[in-house]
Amino acid sequence: MLYYLKPTTTLLPALPVNFHLTFRAVDDIEFLAALNNLPKDEIRRRLANDNTAYVAFYKRNPAAFGWSAAGKAFIGELNHEMVLPIGHKYLWNFRTVEEFRGKGIYPQLLQYIIRKESDSTECFWILHSPENTSSEKGIIKAGFKWISKVSIKDLNRVIVSPAAQEESTILNNLGFDSSFEEQASCWMCSSPFLSHKKTQCCCSSRNAICNQRQFITG
């Protein structure tokens, strides 16, 4: 699911005030490597390629993190690299530490990033897999507008459902293929590129019918 937000035309929804939360951009490589559970070289690579890491602290403890990308961005779950137009940012790799989940931190962190970068950003983009309903709730609460479903098709095409003309042109420039084809019911089954792929399908738990075969074989 793909969403966007234009800070100059969007009034951010009010969120509950939480005085235990603070936010800041962080460039400490050792700290970010431990928090993200990633090698230090990967953190260095991201920071050197126009990525900014943001961390939410709950009572001074690191509680959530996420990244804002400019220039180029890579969607690992879809094996898709895109070149972002000037003034566009892609928000990605967000995670809330397990013990701090359920406190509404994710939308608060998103809004902090939006406010922090709004002067230099025309449009923010963010997406989540169809099965990730918790991310969906946080993204909508933060004020993002849904634009399209997204799937990988035949292992080498990333398709989006048709959008309005202006947004459709941008999506095409980002390498997405506008299509009326059926979208995948879940990425867990339709994409072989997930880093933490599970063997059990989640579609039945969402009252959905898994259509993974047509996406893998075409």
Side-chain angles (χ1 to χ4, degrees):
M1 300 293 187
L2 181 65
Y3 300 77
Y4 74 105
L5 186 149
K6 297 181 178 180
T8 58
T9 59
T10 302
L11 181 63
L12 296 182
L15 296 174
V17 176
N18 189 328
F19 294 105
H20 297 305
L21 280 174
T22 56
F23 310 90
R24 70 172 184 265
V26 177
D27 59 5
D28 184 317
I29 292 172
E30 290 193 8
F31 172 81
L32 290 173
L35 183 60
N36 285 254
N37 193 27
L38 289 171
K40 286 185 274 190
D41 283 347
E42 170 61 14
I43 300 298
R44 291 190 185 96
R45 186 194 67 79
R46 293 186 183 187
L47 294 174
N49 284 278
D50 294 322
N51 281 259
T52 303
Y54 289 92
V55 179
F57 296 85
Y58 187 85
K59 295 182 179 179
R60 299 185 179 182
N61 297 301
F65 64 85
W67 293 79
S68 173
K72 287 185 179 180
F74 183 71
I75 306 171
E77 299 91 336
L78 302 176
N79 195 37
H80 180 70
E81 184 177 75
M82 54 189 180
V83 178
L84 295 158
I86 294 174
H88 289 242
K89 303 285 180 63
Y90 173 60
L91 305 184
W92 68 294
N93 194 193
F94 284 80
R95 188 164 75 242
T96 301
V97 178
E98 188 171 358
E99 65 184 282
F100 298 106
R101 292 172 186 170
K103 300 181 182 296
I105 297 175
Y106 181 33
Q108 299 270 11
L109 177 57
L110 287 174
Q111 285 197 352
Y112 174 81
I113 297 172
I114 292 165
R115 292 190 176 100
K116 188 75 173 177
E117 298 192 351
S118 60
D119 288 345
S120 61
T121 306
E122 176 185 336
C123 186
F124 293 94
W125 299 89
I126 193 169
L127 58 76
H128 66 84
S129 64
E131 60 266 36
N132 195 342
T133 55
S134 59
S135 286
E136 177 183 27
K137 293 175 183 176
I139 289 168
I140 292 173
K141 283 182 180 178
F144 281 83
K145 180 180 178 181
W146 181 85
I147 184 172
S148 178
K149 295 180 180 179
V150 185
S151 306
I152 188 165
K153 181 78 172 179
D154 305 335
L155 304 183
N156 59 9
R157 290 173 57 221
V158 178
I159 60 173
V160 292
S161 45
Q165 181 62 45
E166 180 183 356
E167 286 77 19
S168 182
T169 299
I170 295 174
L171 293 177
N172 182 257
N173 291 335
L174 293 176
F176 297 123
D177 185 3
S178 180
S179 173
F180 287 98
E181 297 170 84
E182 183 181 5
Q183 293 281 339
S185 54
C186 73
W187 289 0
M188 188 60 66
C189 295
S190 64
S191 173
F193 303 110
L194 271 71
S195 57
H196 300 289
K197 198 172 180 64
K198 298 178 182 178
T199 56
Q200 185 175 1
C201 179
C202 62
C203 289
S204 59
S205 65
R206 297 180 290 115
N207 297 318
I209 298 175
C210 186
N211 58 358
Q212 60 119 347
R213 181 173 296 278
Q214 64 177 293
F215 287 86
I216 293 178
T217 66

